[in-house]
């Protein structure tokens, strides 16, 4: 059974790119991204945990959050402080680009302006359907 790629990943956000970083050096991977540019539009804030900084190896951040106070809708407040950072303020677009560049460096192929539209499974392979530049296309893989 012939396939175009071993794995097709939908979305070049942190989850998709991180998966590609770990898989692309061992197998053929295509990452479909619906936008024209990775990281735009920004999908969430730029406040991340220390674990995200560790996992991503992002080289730059704007600020360190040493303490925080969270207030629930009921008015209950929770405070966090201590010797170690509680979070980092980053450029979220930069995080997405950084991770996607690392995925590409490890061998993932990235296709921009490719909007996933659905998939089907047949005889042990997945056919992923997408639209690129207004044209319906498809690609086969072992895993989606």
């Amino acid at each position: 059974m012939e396939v175009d790629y071993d794995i097709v990943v939908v979305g070049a956000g942190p989850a998709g790119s991180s998966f590609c970083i770990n898989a692309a050096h061992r197998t053929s991977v295509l990452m479909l991204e619906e936008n024209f540019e990775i990281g735009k539009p920004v999908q969430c804030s730029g406040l991340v945990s220390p674990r995200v900084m560790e996992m991503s190896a992002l080289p730059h951040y704007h600020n360190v959050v040493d303490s925080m106070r969270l207030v629930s809708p009921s008015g209950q407040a929770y405070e966090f402080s201590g010797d170690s950072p509680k979070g980092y303020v980053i450029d979220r677009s930069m995080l997405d680009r950084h991770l996607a560049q690392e995925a590409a460096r490890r061998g993932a192929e990235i296709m921009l302006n490719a909007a996933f539209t659905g998939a089907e499974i047949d005889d042990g392979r997945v056919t992923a359907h997408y639209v690129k530049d207004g044209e319906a296309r498809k690609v086969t893989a072992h895993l989606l």
Side-chain angles (χ1 to χ4, degrees), residues 62-139:
H62 295 300
N63 206 349
V64 177
V65 178
D66 293 321
S67 64
M68 62 178 74
R69 183 172 192 255
L70 305 174
V71 181
S72 73
S74 69
Q76 177 69 41
Y78 301 91
E79 295 189 21
F80 303 90
S81 63
D83 295 335
S84 61
K86 303 301 172 227
Y88 292 86
V89 179
I90 64 164
D91 176 335
R92 176 52 204 279
S93 286
M94 181 189 297
L95 174 66
D96 288 3
R97 288 190 309 272
H98 171 75
L99 292 173
Q101 287 168 353
E102 182 62 20
R105 191 182 72 73
R106 297 228 184 161
E109 183 179 332
I110 300 172
M111 186 177 299
L112 299 177
N113 190 32
F116 176 76
T117 58
E120 57 198 44
I121 300 172
D122 182 39
D123 194 29
R125 72 178 187 178
V126 179
T127 300
H129 299 270
Y130 64 98
V131 174
K132 175 150 178 68
D133 301 326
E135 179 184 323
R137 300 181 185 188
K138 62 185 176 179
V139 63

Side-chain angles (χ1 to χ4, degrees), residues 19-84:
F19 180 86
C20 289
I21 288 168
N22 290 302
H25 67 284
R26 287 177 265 169
T27 189
S28 63
V29 178
L30 171 66
M31 185 163 47
L32 300 174
E33 170 55 44
E34 69 181 342
N35 295 306
F36 289 97
E37 184 178 344
I38 293 173
K40 300 224 175 143
V42 174
Q43 298 298 319
C44 72
S45 74
L47 181 61
V48 298
S49 70
R51 181 79 174 121
V52 169
M53 292 299 289
E54 178 185 321
M55 289 172 52
S56 70
L58 188 66
H60 306 287
Y61 56 87
H62 295 300
N63 206 349
V64 177
V65 178
D66 293 321
S67 64
M68 62 178 74
R69 183 172 192 255
L70 305 174
V71 181
S72 73
S74 69
Q76 177 69 41
Y78 301 91
E79 295 189 21
F80 303 90
S81 63
D83 295 335
S84 61

